Amino acid sequence: MTVSQTVELEGHIIDSGSMGHCFGAVMEMGGEFEVEEFEVGRHKHDETYCRMTVTAETPEDLRAILHELNQQGATVTDPRDATIEPAPDDQVVPVDFYSTTNHPTYVRVNGDWVAVEDIEMDCALVVEKQESGTEEGDTKPRVYTKVLNAVEEGDLVVTGESGIRVEPPERPRNGGGSFGFMQGGVSSERPSKSLIEEIADEMRDVRENDGTVLAVCGPAIVHSGGRNALAELVQEGYVDAISAGNGFAVHDLERDLYGTSLGVDTESLEHPRKGHKHHIYTISEIVRHGGIPEAVDAGVVDEGVMYECVRNDVPYVLAGSIRDDGPLPDTITDAIEAQDAIRKQAQDADLVLMLSTLLHSVAVGNCLPSTTKTVCVDINPATVTQLLDRGSAQAIGLVTDIGAFLPMLTDELLESDST
């Protein structure tokens, strides 16, 4: 005996490929579908509508298929309210809890669709009822994400697939807009200059609208000679926050104190005597003063990215790892605390530049909504590929040397300012 469920898809589902993904998912998972209604949008801004019945051999098979279709934006017809169960203990979610995507998500509570706050992939959904302020005893629901380690006993957690609507970003038919080129993937064939102009335009728009540009930085910025350009972007107000690891900050400071990065003179490429110890000496000097801001105030550090962050009140998060030397006093060594700090940065960002760092790019990408414009620049195409595999489908990859990219971007931004 088979079981079935009718679902609906609506939007630019042909252009974005979501309809094809849904058809393919049903067949790959052993189900069948029958299209009952199909209305194609015939003009640029018209949406397409599809209603189909999905059939599977068992309720479990159908449920798995519906979960996959939900991720592509399909919703069941005549939806019920979401199922909600209390968390049985701290850091323990109910069985069959709904695990989020990074797409805009809505949960049906008391007959109303409620937008999920701070959407992020791989989280639980928690429903909270608050006093609405209209009539005594009247409440309104609030739905937000929680990472599993933050779930508390008694939290009302959404389970199952009912009453949940996901809206994946849709590819515009005209491909226009300042980020019209962000149509997926990574290619070393894209024209770097035109992409840099597009990125610069977007950064200007973000600044003019009081938005936030987050730069995710790897040590290669310093090694390859892009440090001064990034420092200038911080100084001129084009970068509003920095997310990095202990290594990036250490080598940026080492470059200021010793003129080297990883013990190599970044100008002459020579290896000074004891150069391999410069990063340890740098850490020791910063620790001696109590931290990066204190070293800047003392005049020990007088240039570079971290210097400009301190002088221009640009917040930074340095997330530690097991591999860190030192680390610097400013580095967050507690992994959960570092995650929370990165999560706050990601939620506040309007544009994210991931600059030559695989680990931090993936970490920040995991915290980003799919609606946040994201650019990943790396000499290795695999960095963007891994981002896409982890769900950051909005990331556009530019395969180039970060030491060439950052000066070109800075010139594009600052030259336009002077004209």
Short mmCIF file of all heavy atoms in Angstrom, two decimals, residues 294-353:
data_model
loop_
_atom_site.label_atom_id
_atom_site.label_comp_id
_atom_site.label_asym_id
_atom_site.label_seq_id
_atom_site.Cartn_x
_atom_site.Cartn_y
_atom_site.Cartn_z
N GLU A 294 46.67 47.48 23.50
CA GLU A 294 47.68 48.06 24.39
C GLU A 294 49.00 48.28 23.67
O GLU A 294 49.70 49.28 23.90
CB GLU A 294 47.88 47.13 25.59
CG GLU A 294 46.70 47.03 26.52
CD GLU A 294 45.61 46.08 26.06
OE1 GLU A 294 45.77 45.47 24.98
OE2 GLU A 294 44.61 45.93 26.78
N ALA A 295 49.36 47.35 22.77
CA ALA A 295 50.60 47.51 22.00
C ALA A 295 50.49 48.69 21.04
O ALA A 295 51.47 49.41 20.81
CB ALA A 295 50.91 46.23 21.24
N VAL A 296 49.31 48.90 20.47
CA VAL A 296 49.10 50.06 19.60
C VAL A 296 49.20 51.34 20.41
O VAL A 296 49.87 52.32 20.01
CB VAL A 296 47.72 49.97 18.90
CG1 VAL A 296 47.40 51.28 18.19
CG2 VAL A 296 47.71 48.81 17.91
N ASP A 297 48.55 51.39 21.56
CA ASP A 297 48.60 52.59 22.40
C ASP A 297 50.01 52.91 22.85
O ASP A 297 50.37 54.09 23.01
CB ASP A 297 47.70 52.40 23.63
CG ASP A 297 46.22 52.38 23.28
OD1 ASP A 297 45.87 52.84 22.17
OD2 ASP A 297 45.43 51.88 24.10
N ALA A 298 50.83 51.86 23.05
CA ALA A 298 52.21 52.06 23.48
C ALA A 298 53.13 52.46 22.34
O ALA A 298 54.30 52.78 22.56
CB ALA A 298 52.74 50.80 24.15
N GLY A 299 52.63 52.46 21.11
CA GLY A 299 53.45 52.81 19.95
C GLY A 299 54.31 51.68 19.45
O GLY A 299 55.11 51.88 18.53
N VAL A 300 54.15 50.49 20.02
CA VAL A 300 54.92 49.33 19.56
C VAL A 300 54.45 48.91 18.18
O VAL A 300 55.26 48.54 17.32
CB VAL A 300 54.78 48.17 20.57
CG1 VAL A 300 55.47 46.91 20.04
CG2 VAL A 300 55.37 48.56 21.91
N VAL A 301 53.16 48.93 17.95
CA VAL A 301 52.56 48.61 16.65
C VAL A 301 52.05 49.91 16.04
O VAL A 301 51.26 50.62 16.66
CB VAL A 301 51.39 47.61 16.83
CG1 VAL A 301 50.70 47.36 15.50
CG2 VAL A 301 51.90 46.30 17.43
N ASP A 302 52.52 50.22 14.83
CA ASP A 302 52.12 51.51 14.25
C ASP A 302 51.68 51.42 12.79
O ASP A 302 51.54 52.44 12.12
CB ASP A 302 53.24 52.53 14.38
CG ASP A 302 54.54 52.09 13.73
OD1 ASP A 302 54.53 51.08 12.98
OD2 ASP A 302 55.58 52.74 13.96
N GLU A 303 51.40 50.20 12.30
CA GLU A 303 50.85 50.06 10.96
C GLU A 303 50.28 48.65 10.80
O GLU A 303 50.50 47.78 11.63
CB GLU A 303 51.91 50.31 9.88
CG GLU A 303 53.02 49.28 9.85
CD GLU A 303 53.95 49.48 8.67
OE1 GLU A 303 54.03 50.61 8.16
OE2 GLU A 303 54.58 48.49 8.27
N GLY A 304 49.56 48.46 9.70
CA GLY A 304 49.01 47.14 9.41
C GLY A 304 47.53 47.04 9.66
O GLY A 304 46.87 48.00 10.08
N VAL A 305 46.99 45.88 9.41
CA VAL A 305 45.54 45.66 9.51
C VAL A 305 45.06 45.77 10.95
O VAL A 305 44.09 46.47 11.25
CB VAL A 305 45.16 44.29 8.92
CG1 VAL A 305 43.66 44.05 9.07
CG2 VAL A 305 45.58 44.19 7.46
N MET A 306 45.73 45.08 11.87
CA MET A 306 45.29 45.12 13.26
C MET A 306 45.45 46.53 13.84
O MET A 306 44.60 46.98 14.63
CB MET A 306 46.08 44.11 14.11
CG MET A 306 46.00 42.67 13.61
SD MET A 306 44.33 42.08 13.24
CE MET A 306 43.52 42.26 14.81
N TYR A 307 46.48 47.22 13.44
CA TYR A 307 46.66 48.62 13.87
C TYR A 307 45.48 49.47 13.42
O TYR A 307 44.91 50.25 14.21
CB TYR A 307 47.96 49.17 13.29
CG TYR A 307 48.13 50.67 13.47
CD1 TYR A 307 48.62 51.20 14.66
CD2 TYR A 307 47.80 51.54 12.44
CE1 TYR A 307 48.76 52.57 14.82
CE2 TYR A 307 47.94 52.92 12.58
CZ TYR A 307 48.42 53.43 13.78
OH TYR A 307 48.56 54.79 13.93
N GLU A 308 45.08 49.35 12.16
CA GLU A 308 43.97 50.15 11.64
C GLU A 308 42.65 49.76 12.30
O GLU A 308 41.78 50.62 12.51
CB GLU A 308 43.87 50.00 10.12
CG GLU A 308 45.06 50.55 9.35
CD GLU A 308 45.23 52.07 9.49
OE1 GLU A 308 44.31 52.72 10.00
OE2 GLU A 308 46.31 52.57 9.13
N CYS A 309 42.50 48.49 12.64
CA CYS A 309 41.29 48.07 13.35
C CYS A 309 41.19 48.78 14.70
O CYS A 309 40.12 49.28 15.08
CB CYS A 309 41.29 46.56 13.56
SG CYS A 309 40.92 45.60 12.09
N VAL A 310 42.30 48.82 15.43
CA VAL A 310 42.29 49.48 16.74
C VAL A 310 42.05 50.97 16.59
O VAL A 310 41.22 51.56 17.28
CB VAL A 310 43.62 49.21 17.48
CG1 VAL A 310 43.70 50.04 18.76
CG2 VAL A 310 43.77 47.73 17.79
N ARG A 311 42.76 51.61 15.67
CA ARG A 311 42.67 53.06 15.51
C ARG A 311 41.32 53.51 14.96
O ARG A 311 40.87 54.62 15.22
CB ARG A 311 43.79 53.55 14.58
CG ARG A 311 45.14 53.66 15.26
CD ARG A 311 45.06 54.69 16.36
NE ARG A 311 46.35 54.89 17.02
CZ ARG A 311 46.50 54.90 18.34
NH1 ARG A 311 45.45 54.69 19.12
NH2 ARG A 311 47.67 55.11 18.88
N ASN A 312 40.62 52.66 14.22
CA ASN A 312 39.35 53.04 13.60
C ASN A 312 38.15 52.33 14.22
O ASN A 312 37.06 52.37 13.65
CB ASN A 312 39.42 52.75 12.10
CG ASN A 312 40.42 53.62 11.38
OD1 ASN A 312 40.15 54.77 11.09
ND2 ASN A 312 41.60 53.07 11.11
N ASP A 313 38.37 51.73 15.40
CA ASP A 313 37.29 51.05 16.12
C ASP A 313 36.57 50.02 15.26
O ASP A 313 35.34 49.90 15.29
CB ASP A 313 36.28 52.07 16.66
CG ASP A 313 36.88 52.98 17.72
OD1 ASP A 313 37.66 52.47 18.54
OD2 ASP A 313 36.59 54.19 17.71
N VAL A 314 37.31 49.29 14.47
CA VAL A 314 36.75 48.21 13.66
C VAL A 314 36.87 46.91 14.46
O VAL A 314 37.99 46.49 14.80
CB VAL A 314 37.49 48.08 12.31
CG1 VAL A 314 37.06 46.82 11.57
CG2 VAL A 314 37.24 49.32 11.46
N PRO A 315 35.75 46.30 14.80
CA PRO A 315 35.81 45.10 15.64
C PRO A 315 36.43 43.91 14.91
O PRO A 315 36.27 43.77 13.69
CB PRO A 315 34.34 44.83 15.98
CG PRO A 315 33.58 45.47 14.86
CD PRO A 315 34.37 46.66 14.44
N TYR A 316 37.10 43.07 15.64
CA TYR A 316 37.69 41.86 15.06
C TYR A 316 37.47 40.69 15.99
O TYR A 316 37.39 40.83 17.21
CB TYR A 316 39.19 42.05 14.77
CG TYR A 316 40.02 42.49 15.95
CD1 TYR A 316 40.55 41.56 16.85
CD2 TYR A 316 40.32 43.84 16.15
CE1 TYR A 316 41.33 41.95 17.92
CE2 TYR A 316 41.09 44.24 17.23
CZ TYR A 316 41.60 43.30 18.11
OH TYR A 316 42.36 43.70 19.18
N VAL A 317 37.36 39.52 15.38
CA VAL A 317 37.28 38.26 16.12
C VAL A 317 38.42 37.39 15.67
O VAL A 317 38.56 37.08 14.48
CB VAL A 317 35.94 37.54 15.88
CG1 VAL A 317 35.97 36.13 16.47
CG2 VAL A 317 34.78 38.32 16.48
N LEU A 318 39.27 37.00 16.61
CA LEU A 318 40.36 36.07 16.33
C LEU A 318 40.01 34.74 16.99
O LEU A 318 40.01 34.64 18.22
CB LEU A 318 41.69 36.61 16.87
CG LEU A 318 42.12 38.00 16.37
CD1 LEU A 318 43.45 38.40 17.01
CD2 LEU A 318 42.23 38.02 14.86
N ALA A 319 39.67 33.76 16.17
CA ALA A 319 39.25 32.46 16.68
C ALA A 319 40.44 31.51 16.71
O ALA A 319 41.13 31.33 15.70
CB ALA A 319 38.14 31.88 15.81
N GLY A 320 40.69 30.92 17.86
CA GLY A 320 41.85 30.07 18.02
C GLY A 320 41.66 28.67 17.48
O GLY A 320 40.56 28.25 17.13
N SER A 321 42.76 27.95 17.38
CA SER A 321 42.73 26.54 16.97
C SER A 321 43.81 25.79 17.73
O SER A 321 44.66 26.39 18.40
CB SER A 321 42.96 26.41 15.46
OG SER A 321 44.34 26.57 15.15
N ILE A 322 43.79 24.48 17.61
CA ILE A 322 44.74 23.65 18.33
C ILE A 322 46.16 23.87 17.83
O ILE A 322 47.13 23.54 18.50
CB ILE A 322 44.33 22.16 18.19
CG1 ILE A 322 45.03 21.30 19.25
CG2 ILE A 322 44.60 21.64 16.80
CD1 ILE A 322 44.58 21.58 20.66
N ARG A 323 46.28 24.48 16.64
CA ARG A 323 47.61 24.64 16.03
C ARG A 323 48.30 25.94 16.41
O ARG A 323 49.44 26.18 16.03
CB ARG A 323 47.47 24.61 14.50
CG ARG A 323 46.84 23.35 13.96
CD ARG A 323 46.46 23.50 12.50
NE ARG A 323 45.39 24.48 12.34
CZ ARG A 323 45.48 25.58 11.61
NH1 ARG A 323 46.61 25.85 10.98
NH2 ARG A 323 44.47 26.41 11.51
N ASP A 324 47.63 26.81 17.17
CA ASP A 324 48.13 28.16 17.38
C ASP A 324 49.38 28.22 18.24
O ASP A 324 49.46 27.55 19.29
CB ASP A 324 47.05 29.03 18.04
CG ASP A 324 45.94 29.38 17.08
OD1 ASP A 324 46.18 29.35 15.86
OD2 ASP A 324 44.84 29.69 17.55
N ASP A 325 50.33 29.04 17.83
CA ASP A 325 51.45 29.41 18.70
C ASP A 325 50.98 30.56 19.58
O ASP A 325 50.26 31.46 19.16
CB ASP A 325 52.64 29.88 17.86
CG ASP A 325 53.28 28.75 17.08
OD1 ASP A 325 53.41 27.65 17.64
OD2 ASP A 325 53.61 28.96 15.90
N GLY A 326 51.44 30.55 20.81
CA GLY A 326 51.06 31.61 21.74
C GLY A 326 49.91 31.18 22.62
O GLY A 326 50.08 30.52 23.63
N PRO A 327 48.68 31.52 22.25
CA PRO A 327 48.33 32.49 21.19
C PRO A 327 48.37 33.92 21.72
O PRO A 327 48.72 34.15 22.88
CB PRO A 327 46.89 32.08 20.84
CG PRO A 327 46.33 31.60 22.15
CD PRO A 327 47.47 30.92 22.86
N LEU A 328 47.98 34.86 20.88
CA LEU A 328 47.86 36.24 21.30
C LEU A 328 46.78 36.37 22.37
O LEU A 328 45.80 35.62 22.38
CB LEU A 328 47.47 37.12 20.10
CG LEU A 328 48.50 37.26 18.98
CD1 LEU A 328 47.85 37.89 17.75
CD2 LEU A 328 49.70 38.10 19.45
N PRO A 329 46.91 37.35 23.28
CA PRO A 329 45.89 37.53 24.32
C PRO A 329 44.50 37.81 23.74
O PRO A 329 43.49 37.53 24.39
CB PRO A 329 46.40 38.73 25.11
CG PRO A 329 47.86 38.80 24.83
CD PRO A 329 48.02 38.29 23.44
N ASP A 330 44.45 38.36 22.52
CA ASP A 330 43.18 38.72 21.91
C ASP A 330 42.47 37.54 21.27
O ASP A 330 41.30 37.65 20.87
CB ASP A 330 43.41 39.79 20.83
CG ASP A 330 44.26 40.94 21.33
OD1 ASP A 330 45.47 40.72 21.51
OD2 ASP A 330 43.72 42.04 21.52
N THR A 331 43.15 36.40 21.16
CA THR A 331 42.58 35.22 20.50
C THR A 331 41.62 34.50 21.43
O THR A 331 41.93 34.25 22.60
CB THR A 331 43.71 34.27 20.05
OG1 THR A 331 44.56 34.95 19.13
CG2 THR A 331 43.14 33.04 19.39
N ILE A 332 40.44 34.17 20.91
CA ILE A 332 39.45 33.44 21.68
C ILE A 332 39.77 31.94 21.58
O ILE A 332 39.66 31.35 20.51
CB ILE A 332 38.02 33.71 21.15
CG1 ILE A 332 37.73 35.20 21.16
CG2 ILE A 332 36.99 32.95 21.96
CD1 ILE A 332 36.41 35.58 20.49
N THR A 333 40.16 31.36 22.67
CA THR A 333 40.61 29.96 22.65
C THR A 333 39.48 28.98 22.95
O THR A 333 39.63 27.79 22.68
CB THR A 333 41.75 29.75 23.65
OG1 THR A 333 41.32 30.17 24.96
CG2 THR A 333 42.97 30.56 23.25
N ASP A 334 38.38 29.44 23.52
CA ASP A 334 37.23 28.58 23.76
C ASP A 334 36.45 28.45 22.45
O ASP A 334 35.96 29.43 21.90
CB ASP A 334 36.34 29.18 24.85
CG ASP A 334 35.16 28.29 25.20
OD1 ASP A 334 34.25 28.16 24.35
OD2 ASP A 334 35.15 27.73 26.31
N ALA A 335 36.31 27.22 21.94
CA ALA A 335 35.71 27.00 20.62
C ALA A 335 34.26 27.46 20.56
O ALA A 335 33.82 28.05 19.57
CB ALA A 335 35.81 25.52 20.23
N ILE A 336 33.49 27.21 21.61
CA ILE A 336 32.08 27.61 21.62
C ILE A 336 31.97 29.13 21.68
O ILE A 336 31.14 29.74 20.98
CB ILE A 336 31.34 26.97 22.81
CG1 ILE A 336 31.44 25.45 22.73
CG2 ILE A 336 29.88 27.41 22.82
CD1 ILE A 336 30.90 24.84 21.46
N GLU A 337 32.78 29.75 22.50
CA GLU A 337 32.78 31.22 22.58
C GLU A 337 33.17 31.83 21.24
O GLU A 337 32.59 32.83 20.80
CB GLU A 337 33.75 31.68 23.68
CG GLU A 337 33.77 33.18 23.90
CD GLU A 337 34.78 33.61 24.94
OE1 GLU A 337 35.30 32.74 25.66
OE2 GLU A 337 35.07 34.82 25.01
N ALA A 338 34.16 31.22 20.57
CA ALA A 338 34.59 31.72 19.26
C ALA A 338 33.47 31.57 18.24
O ALA A 338 33.21 32.46 17.42
CB ALA A 338 35.84 30.99 18.79
N GLN A 339 32.76 30.44 18.27
CA GLN A 339 31.63 30.23 17.37
C GLN A 339 30.58 31.31 17.56
O GLN A 339 30.04 31.86 16.60
CB GLN A 339 30.99 28.86 17.64
CG GLN A 339 31.64 27.70 16.95
CD GLN A 339 30.84 26.41 17.16
OE1 GLN A 339 29.65 26.47 17.45
NE2 GLN A 339 31.50 25.28 17.03
N ASP A 340 30.26 31.61 18.81
CA ASP A 340 29.23 32.61 19.10
C ASP A 340 29.66 33.99 18.59
O ASP A 340 28.83 34.74 18.07
CB ASP A 340 28.96 32.67 20.60
CG ASP A 340 28.23 31.43 21.10
OD1 ASP A 340 27.63 30.71 20.27
OD2 ASP A 340 28.26 31.17 22.32
N ALA A 341 30.94 34.31 18.74
CA ALA A 341 31.43 35.61 18.27
C ALA A 341 31.38 35.68 16.74
O ALA A 341 30.99 36.71 16.16
CB ALA A 341 32.86 35.83 18.76
N ILE A 342 31.76 34.60 16.06
CA ILE A 342 31.69 34.55 14.60
C ILE A 342 30.24 34.63 14.14
O ILE A 342 29.91 35.32 13.17
CB ILE A 342 32.36 33.27 14.08
CG1 ILE A 342 33.87 33.33 14.27
CG2 ILE A 342 32.02 33.03 12.61
CD1 ILE A 342 34.58 32.03 13.92
N ARG A 343 29.35 33.93 14.86
CA ARG A 343 27.92 33.93 14.51
C ARG A 343 27.35 35.34 14.55
O ARG A 343 26.58 35.76 13.68
CB ARG A 343 27.19 33.00 15.48
CG ARG A 343 25.74 32.79 15.16
CD ARG A 343 25.19 31.64 15.96
NE ARG A 343 25.70 30.36 15.48
CZ ARG A 343 26.56 29.59 16.15
NH1 ARG A 343 26.98 29.96 17.33
NH2 ARG A 343 26.99 28.46 15.62
N LYS A 344 27.73 36.12 15.58
CA LYS A 344 27.24 37.49 15.69
C LYS A 344 27.75 38.33 14.51
O LYS A 344 26.98 39.13 13.93
CB LYS A 344 27.73 38.09 17.02
CG LYS A 344 27.33 39.54 17.25
CD LYS A 344 25.82 39.67 17.36
CE LYS A 344 25.40 41.04 17.88
NZ LYS A 344 25.81 42.15 17.04
N GLN A 345 29.01 38.17 14.15
CA GLN A 345 29.53 38.89 12.99
C GLN A 345 28.77 38.53 11.72
O GLN A 345 28.41 39.40 10.92
CB GLN A 345 31.01 38.56 12.78
CG GLN A 345 31.97 39.21 13.76
CD GLN A 345 33.40 38.95 13.34
OE1 GLN A 345 33.75 37.83 12.98
NE2 GLN A 345 34.24 39.97 13.38
N ALA A 346 28.53 37.23 11.53
CA ALA A 346 27.86 36.77 10.31
C ALA A 346 26.45 37.32 10.21
O ALA A 346 25.99 37.72 9.13
CB ALA A 346 27.84 35.24 10.28
N GLN A 347 25.73 37.35 11.32
CA GLN A 347 24.36 37.83 11.31
C GLN A 347 24.29 39.33 11.00
O GLN A 347 23.28 39.80 10.45
CB GLN A 347 23.70 37.53 12.66
CG GLN A 347 23.46 36.04 12.89
CD GLN A 347 23.10 35.71 14.33
OE1 GLN A 347 23.15 36.58 15.20
NE2 GLN A 347 22.75 34.46 14.58
N ASP A 348 25.33 40.07 11.35
CA ASP A 348 25.33 41.51 11.11
C ASP A 348 25.84 41.90 9.72
O ASP A 348 25.69 43.04 9.31
CB ASP A 348 26.21 42.22 12.16
CG ASP A 348 25.60 42.17 13.55
OD1 ASP A 348 24.38 41.92 13.65
OD2 ASP A 348 26.34 42.37 14.53
N ALA A 349 26.43 40.95 8.99
CA ALA A 349 27.10 41.28 7.73
C ALA A 349 26.11 41.41 6.58
O ALA A 349 25.16 40.65 6.47
CB ALA A 349 28.14 40.22 7.40
N ASP A 350 26.37 42.40 5.71
CA ASP A 350 25.61 42.55 4.47
C ASP A 350 26.39 42.03 3.27
O ASP A 350 25.80 41.65 2.26
CB ASP A 350 25.27 44.03 4.25
CG ASP A 350 24.39 44.58 5.36
OD1 ASP A 350 23.21 44.21 5.40
OD2 ASP A 350 24.89 45.36 6.20
N LEU A 351 27.70 42.05 3.38
CA LEU A 351 28.59 41.53 2.34
C LEU A 351 29.79 40.91 3.03
O LEU A 351 30.36 41.49 3.96
CB LEU A 351 29.05 42.67 1.41
CG LEU A 351 30.14 42.32 0.38
CD1 LEU A 351 29.63 41.30 -0.62
CD2 LEU A 351 30.61 43.58 -0.34
N VAL A 352 30.18 39.71 2.58
CA VAL A 352 31.30 39.00 3.19
C VAL A 352 32.37 38.75 2.13
O VAL A 352 32.07 38.19 1.07
CB VAL A 352 30.86 37.67 3.82
CG1 VAL A 352 32.06 36.95 4.44
CG2 VAL A 352 29.80 37.92 4.89
N LEU A 353 33.59 39.17 2.43
CA LEU A 353 34.74 38.88 1.58
C LEU A 353 35.57 37.81 2.27
O LEU A 353 36.14 38.04 3.34
CB LEU A 353 35.59 40.14 1.37
CG LEU A 353 34.89 41.37 0.78
CD1 LEU A 353 35.89 42.53 0.70
CD2 LEU A 353 34.31 41.06 -0.58
#
